[in-house]
Short mmCIF file of all heavy atoms in Angstrom, two decimals:
data_model
loop_
_atom_site.label_atom_id
_atom_site.label_comp_id
_atom_site.label_asym_id
_atom_site.label_seq_id
_atom_site.Cartn_x
_atom_site.Cartn_y
_atom_site.Cartn_z
N ILE A 293 75.11 91.90 82.25
CA ILE A 293 75.05 93.36 82.38
C ILE A 293 76.21 93.92 83.21
O ILE A 293 76.80 94.93 82.83
CB ILE A 293 73.67 93.80 82.90
CG1 ILE A 293 72.62 93.53 81.83
CG2 ILE A 293 73.67 95.27 83.30
CD1 ILE A 293 71.20 93.80 82.25
N PRO A 294 76.58 93.30 84.35
CA PRO A 294 77.72 93.87 85.11
C PRO A 294 79.02 93.94 84.29
O PRO A 294 79.76 94.91 84.38
CB PRO A 294 77.87 92.93 86.30
CG PRO A 294 76.55 92.28 86.45
CD PRO A 294 75.97 92.18 85.08
N LEU A 295 79.27 92.91 83.49
CA LEU A 295 80.48 92.92 82.65
C LEU A 295 80.42 94.08 81.67
O LEU A 295 81.36 94.89 81.59
CB LEU A 295 80.62 91.60 81.90
CG LEU A 295 81.69 91.59 80.80
CD1 LEU A 295 83.08 91.69 81.40
CD2 LEU A 295 81.56 90.37 79.93
N ASN A 296 79.33 94.18 80.92
CA ASN A 296 79.26 95.22 79.89
C ASN A 296 79.14 96.63 80.48
O ASN A 296 79.66 97.58 79.91
CB ASN A 296 78.11 94.93 78.93
CG ASN A 296 78.44 93.74 78.06
OD1 ASN A 296 77.85 92.67 78.22
ND2 ASN A 296 79.39 93.89 77.17
N PHE A 297 78.49 96.76 81.62
CA PHE A 297 78.44 98.06 82.28
C PHE A 297 79.85 98.49 82.70
O PHE A 297 80.25 99.64 82.52
CB PHE A 297 77.49 98.03 83.49
CG PHE A 297 77.39 99.36 84.16
CD1 PHE A 297 76.61 100.36 83.63
CD2 PHE A 297 78.09 99.62 85.33
CE1 PHE A 297 76.51 101.60 84.25
CE2 PHE A 297 78.01 100.85 85.96
CZ PHE A 297 77.22 101.85 85.41
N THR A 298 80.61 97.55 83.24
CA THR A 298 81.99 97.86 83.65
C THR A 298 82.85 98.20 82.44
O THR A 298 83.71 99.08 82.51
CB THR A 298 82.58 96.68 84.44
OG1 THR A 298 81.71 96.40 85.55
CG2 THR A 298 83.97 96.99 84.97
N VAL A 299 82.61 97.52 81.32
CA VAL A 299 83.31 97.87 80.07
C VAL A 299 82.99 99.31 79.69
O VAL A 299 83.89 100.08 79.34
CB VAL A 299 82.93 96.90 78.93
CG1 VAL A 299 83.45 97.39 77.59
CG2 VAL A 299 83.45 95.50 79.21
N CYS A 300 81.73 99.68 79.76
CA CYS A 300 81.33 101.05 79.42
C CYS A 300 81.98 102.07 80.36
O CYS A 300 82.41 103.14 79.92
CB CYS A 300 79.81 101.19 79.44
SG CYS A 300 78.98 100.36 78.08
N VAL A 301 82.07 101.75 81.64
CA VAL A 301 82.72 102.66 82.59
C VAL A 301 84.21 102.81 82.24
O VAL A 301 84.72 103.93 82.14
CB VAL A 301 82.55 102.16 84.05
CG1 VAL A 301 83.44 102.95 85.01
CG2 VAL A 301 81.10 102.26 84.47
N GLY A 302 84.91 101.70 82.04
CA GLY A 302 86.34 101.75 81.74
C GLY A 302 86.63 102.47 80.44
O GLY A 302 87.48 103.37 80.37
N PHE A 303 85.92 102.10 79.38
CA PHE A 303 86.15 102.74 78.09
C PHE A 303 85.62 104.17 78.08
O PHE A 303 86.17 105.02 77.38
CB PHE A 303 85.54 101.90 76.96
CG PHE A 303 86.43 100.76 76.55
CD1 PHE A 303 86.31 99.53 77.17
CD2 PHE A 303 87.38 100.92 75.57
CE1 PHE A 303 87.13 98.48 76.82
CE2 PHE A 303 88.21 99.87 75.20
CZ PHE A 303 88.09 98.64 75.83
N GLY A 304 84.58 104.44 78.85
CA GLY A 304 84.10 105.81 78.97
C GLY A 304 85.15 106.73 79.59
O GLY A 304 85.35 107.85 79.13
N MET A 305 85.84 106.22 80.62
CA MET A 305 86.92 107.02 81.23
C MET A 305 88.02 107.30 80.20
O MET A 305 88.49 108.43 80.07
CB MET A 305 87.51 106.30 82.45
CG MET A 305 86.61 106.30 83.65
SD MET A 305 87.41 105.68 85.16
CE MET A 305 87.71 103.97 84.76
N VAL A 306 88.43 106.26 79.47
CA VAL A 306 89.51 106.41 78.50
C VAL A 306 89.09 107.36 77.38
O VAL A 306 89.88 108.21 76.95
CB VAL A 306 89.92 105.02 77.95
CG1 VAL A 306 90.86 105.15 76.78
CG2 VAL A 306 90.56 104.20 79.05
N LEU A 307 87.86 107.23 76.90
CA LEU A 307 87.38 108.14 75.84
C LEU A 307 87.32 109.58 76.34
O LEU A 307 87.67 110.51 75.61
CB LEU A 307 86.01 107.69 75.33
CG LEU A 307 86.02 106.44 74.46
CD1 LEU A 307 84.59 105.93 74.27
CD2 LEU A 307 86.69 106.70 73.13
N PHE A 308 86.91 109.76 77.58
CA PHE A 308 86.88 111.11 78.15
C PHE A 308 88.28 111.70 78.22
O PHE A 308 88.50 112.85 77.83
CB PHE A 308 86.24 111.09 79.54
CG PHE A 308 86.29 112.41 80.25
CD1 PHE A 308 85.47 113.45 79.86
CD2 PHE A 308 87.19 112.61 81.29
CE1 PHE A 308 85.52 114.68 80.50
CE2 PHE A 308 87.25 113.84 81.93
CZ PHE A 308 86.42 114.87 81.54
N TRP A 309 89.25 110.91 78.69
CA TRP A 309 90.62 111.41 78.77
C TRP A 309 91.21 111.66 77.39
O TRP A 309 91.96 112.62 77.20
CB TRP A 309 91.49 110.44 79.56
CG TRP A 309 91.10 110.35 81.00
CD1 TRP A 309 90.62 111.35 81.80
CD2 TRP A 309 91.16 109.19 81.83
NE1 TRP A 309 90.37 110.89 83.06
CE2 TRP A 309 90.69 109.56 83.12
CE3 TRP A 309 91.55 107.87 81.62
CZ2 TRP A 309 90.62 108.67 84.17
CZ3 TRP A 309 91.48 106.98 82.68
CH2 TRP A 309 91.02 107.38 83.93
N SER A 310 90.86 110.84 76.41
CA SER A 310 91.33 111.06 75.04
C SER A 310 90.74 112.36 74.50
O SER A 310 91.44 113.15 73.86
CB SER A 310 90.94 109.90 74.13
OG SER A 310 91.60 108.72 74.52
N TRP A 311 89.46 112.56 74.73
CA TRP A 311 88.80 113.79 74.28
C TRP A 311 89.46 115.01 74.92
O TRP A 311 89.72 116.00 74.24
CB TRP A 311 87.32 113.72 74.63
CG TRP A 311 86.58 115.02 74.40
CD1 TRP A 311 86.20 115.54 73.20
CD2 TRP A 311 86.18 115.95 75.40
NE1 TRP A 311 85.56 116.74 73.39
CE2 TRP A 311 85.54 117.02 74.74
CE3 TRP A 311 86.29 115.98 76.79
CZ2 TRP A 311 85.02 118.10 75.42
CZ3 TRP A 311 85.77 117.07 77.46
CH2 TRP A 311 85.14 118.11 76.78
#
Side-chain angles (χ1 to χ4, degrees):
I293 292 175
L295 169 68
N296 289 109
F297 182 78
T298 305
V299 170
C300 289
V301 169
F303 279 89
M305 287 189 294
V306 170
L307 287 168
F308 174 73
W309 294 326
S310 295
W311 172 75

